[in-house]
Amino acid sequence: MGKAYELRLYVAGKTSKSVAALENLKKLCEEHLKGKYSIEVIDLLEKPQLAEGDQIFAIPTLVKKVPEPVRKIIGDLSNEEKVLVGLDIRAKIKN
Amino acid sequence: MAKSKKQLEARSTGTIPKTLTGISGLDEITLGGLPSGRPTLVCGEAGSGKTLFSIEFIVKGAMEYGEPGVFMAFEEKAEELKANVASLGFDLEQLEKDKKIRLDYVHIDRSEIEETGEYDLEGLFIRLGYAIDSIGAKRVALDTIENLFAGLNNTAVLRAEIRRLFQFLKSKGVTAVITGERGGSGLTRQGLEEYVSDCVILLDHRIINQISTRRLRVVKYRGSVHGTNEYPFLIDDEGISVLPVTSLQLNHEVSTKSLSSGIASLDKMLGNSGFYKGSSILVSGTAGTGKTSIAATFANAACLRGEKCLFFAFEESPKQIIRNMRSIGIDLQKHLKEGSLEFYASRPTLYGLEMHLVAIHKAIKKSKPSVVVLDPITNLITIGSVSDVKTMLVRLIDFLQAEQITVMFTALTLNNIVNEQTDEGVSSLVDAWLLIRDIESNGERNRGLYIMKSRGMKHSNQIREFVITDKGLDLVDVYLTEDGVLTGSAREARMLMEQTGEVIHAQAVSRKDRELERKRKILESKIESLRSEYESAEEELNKVYVEEALKKQIMGETISKIAGLRRGDNGGEEKNVNKNK
């Protein structure tokens, strides 16, 4: 897995969920994707026009643009296992 | 600004502010449209027309009322939607370019989404808010938010968020239409939207006897009265048309003007004037009694007067009617060409009764005729029960009377109970009822026509024989004899017989006259001979008298002469002597 991860986190203001999501994401990336990721945080309160492009409806939403396929993870990213599966870092494990 | 002004206006009339939908008929049922600045739920099963309802609300708002609108689709992609409504003549592309509407397709794909922990739908709100603000939208349609439940797992969050969404829409001051799939025991699957909406409209698509009927019902409307019935509606190439049933009052304008039926002798039976304008006429009779002919004659008369006539044919095709009517000397083709006559032919089974009614309504609104013919209404019974047909006709007659349109129905009567019922059912609604009866006798069938009723007219109580000739229709007096009523050839025969009788009679009379004349002559000649006999007798008598008188005279003279001779001596005697010598 030499490819870089392009991650976008959509938030709406500094809500507790947004803050938690960003913290969880940073921690997780440092652990599993050290050195090969970039995180872009988009605040929809400031740029509402960007919501349509990535089909955002829930907040917070993490969008993995690269590598393909595009995946979305919504929520505060508190379940590490699910996030890793969602980002295709770890294959889905039964149970 | 415009909105607040409108609200003020509405408040002054005492009701909550409403927004016209532009969907024909709906605004009448809701007495002015949907509640302004509040969310309305439109729910129904799949294929009941929810999406069309919502898009029409948005498009009509943008095109007719100058209110921009946002359409947020959860089901169809913008391109699909554009293609789907293009058939209705809605050019979404152009409207979008003109910033009158905004389409936003929210794509929710479960396979792309992973849920971890807490979240909310703020993203959707922001997106919607942005769309609303970008074009200054007054109207919003969400079709169908339930898709969120299909894409996301956390229903507790979703339920809370949908509640918040309604609040959000209210705070934005937009008039919103939210569609919801019907399911379970409630109006919507989640059983939530109907409680948070200010107005709930239920769309229904029912199949009864294999015929589908779409219906619409306003389930709730906070702060306003509304029609509570189920109203049939139609989806056609012009979108949705809802038919509000009847106006609640019976206060139509009435006319004392009358229209000719096209049959002079029938007009005479109807108090010499024909039917009243704006009245409804029922022509009923058994098969083949000429109901369509009467209807066509009526239509023809209207066209000849220069009025517009709309002919609803439920049995024959227009061409068939035109051909058949030509055989009795009525040229409908001419009127058709001139545009004074219009046909609207459809199979009764094409769709449900209600739909027929809506379609008839639409056709009438479109061509604005002064005379309408429905031939025949009986065929409608094949698609509905008797009471259904009756309610439909009540509505139709109501509508037509309000529009001052004269209508003629034809109805087939068979000798079975169902149809007699219709007759009776309908008859109380109509103003005039002509009945054509078969009169069977002497091995032939003839038609007898009489007027069952004609409101407000001194109509004839006679049964007349109704004849169809190649020059048109006519009514003849039936022949009353000691043997009863004679019609058809029996009547002709009787008339012939009586004519012969008259000739014979006349001849007999003249013979008697001549005999009398002869007798008179004989008598006269007898009188003449008697008179001459009398004259001769009289003459004879006279002769006797004269002779007698002469005798007397001569005798007298002789006696006096003798006496003179005796008394006169010489002179006298000598003379006598000389005489004697």
Side-chain angles (χ1 to χ4, degrees), chain B residues 252-259 275-279 401 403-406 431 455-457:
Chain B
H252 314 300
E253 286 294 311
V254 291
S255 173
T256 47
K257 268 172 61 184
S258 51
L259 300 178
F275 306 112
Y276 281 127
K277 184 174 157 53
S279 66
Q401 282 182 341
E403 303 270 320
Q404 283 281 299
I405 296 169
T406 319
D431 297 319
R455 283 181 185 148
M457 252 179 212

Side-chain angles (χ1 to χ4, degrees), chain B residues 495-559:
Chain B
M495 279 165 84
L496 268 177
M497 212 170 78
E498 300 213 340
Q499 258 174 21
T500 344
E502 252 167 51
V503 173
I504 291 168
H505 181 71
Q507 215 158 18
V509 167
S510 62
R511 209 184 57 212
K512 215 160 207 170
D513 270 359
R514 279 199 303 278
E515 213 175 273
L516 268 174
E517 182 68 16
R518 274 196 298 275
K519 238 179 196 162
R520 194 172 61 90
K521 273 184 184 159
I522 289 168
L523 279 174
E524 269 178 0
S525 57
K526 263 190 183 161
I527 289 167
E528 197 58 34
S529 71
L530 275 174
R531 180 172 288 143
S532 45
E533 210 172 305
Y534 165 77
E535 270 172 8
S536 59
E538 201 177 34
E539 224 171 56
E540 196 77 11
L541 205 64
N542 271 351
K543 207 175 91 191
V544 175
Y545 278 132
V546 170
E547 269 179 12
E548 202 78 8
L550 265 170
K551 248 183 202 166
K552 257 187 191 158
Q553 201 191 340
I554 293 167
M555 279 246 288
E557 275 175 18
T558 333
I559 287 169

Side-chain angles (χ1 to χ4, degrees), chain B residues 258-264 267 270 273-276 297-299 301-302 305 371:
Chain B
S258 51
L259 300 178
S260 165
S261 62
I263 307 168
D267 290 347
L270 289 160
S273 53
F275 306 112
Y276 281 127
T297 309
F298 183 57
R305 281 194 304 270
V371 170

Side-chain angles (χ1 to χ4, degrees), chain B residues 78 131 142 174 193 266 278 301 316 351 435 439 467 558 574:
Chain B
L142 301 176
V174 290
E193 296 97 314
L266 181 59
E316 295 172 277
Y351 31 60
L435 198 74
I439 301 173
V467 287
T558 333
E574 268 175 23

